Amino acid sequence: MKNTLLKDIGLAFFRIAISAMMLTHGLPKFQKLISGDFQFADPFGIGATPSLFLAVIGEFVCPILIIIGFKTRLAAIPPAITMAVAAFIAHGADDFSTKEKALFYLVAFITIALLGPGKFGIDRK
């Protein structure tokens, strides 16, 4: 019983901390989007505005869902994809130390997608 409680506390701490840190990257993008400034990188050639919109979903909207534990496994997929794009496309030619943060977040959000929210989330499992 105690081991399960510690596991659930650990999962909650991990998903909340990682998502809160990701929000520090997503909030400026969200503010940029709502202010009407749509200049942004376009790694796939779909346009700057759709790229910014997708980044806001991955770095702002989904981390909020993960913090509250709502659809956590599904919500962890867009941030993981966003960080894969950052690590392997936006910083693909850069050295490891430049892409390390994006890789860290990628691993963290894949872990959250695999483990789910634990007991302390809206999804409770």
Side-chain angles (χ1 to χ4, degrees):
M1 170 91 172
K2 185 177 182 181
N3 192 25
T4 303
L5 178 62
L6 288 176
K7 181 187 82 164
D8 288 324
I9 291 171
L11 283 172
F13 177 77
F14 183 70
R15 72 177 163 79
I16 291 167
I18 292 296
S19 296
M21 287 187 280
M22 178 57 77
L23 282 175
T24 67
H25 300 279
L27 181 59
K29 291 176 181 78
F30 177 70
Q31 291 171 329
K32 182 179 183 100
L33 182 69
I34 61 173
S35 74
D37 179 8
F38 302 116
Q39 292 184 357
F40 194 70
D42 184 17
F44 293 116
I46 61 173
T49 303
S51 295
L52 177 60
F53 184 75
L54 291 172
V56 167
I57 290 171
E59 295 182 18
F60 184 74
V61 175
C62 289
I64 291 171
L65 296 175
I66 294 168
I67 286 171
I68 64 173
F70 181 70
K71 301 294 181 192
T72 305
R73 290 176 188 237
L74 288 175
I77 294 170
I81 292 169
T82 303
M83 291 301 99
V85 169
F88 300 117
I89 296 174
H91 297 291
D94 296 339
D95 61 353
F96 179 77
S97 64
T98 303
K99 61 178 98 178
E100 184 175 11
K101 189 185 320 181
L103 291 170
F104 169 76
Y105 280 120
L106 172 61
V107 169
F109 283 109
I110 288 172
T111 302
I112 291 168
L114 292 172
L115 297 177
K119 179 179 168 184
F120 301 110
I122 292 175
D123 290 342
R124 286 188 194 179
K125 291 189 180 175

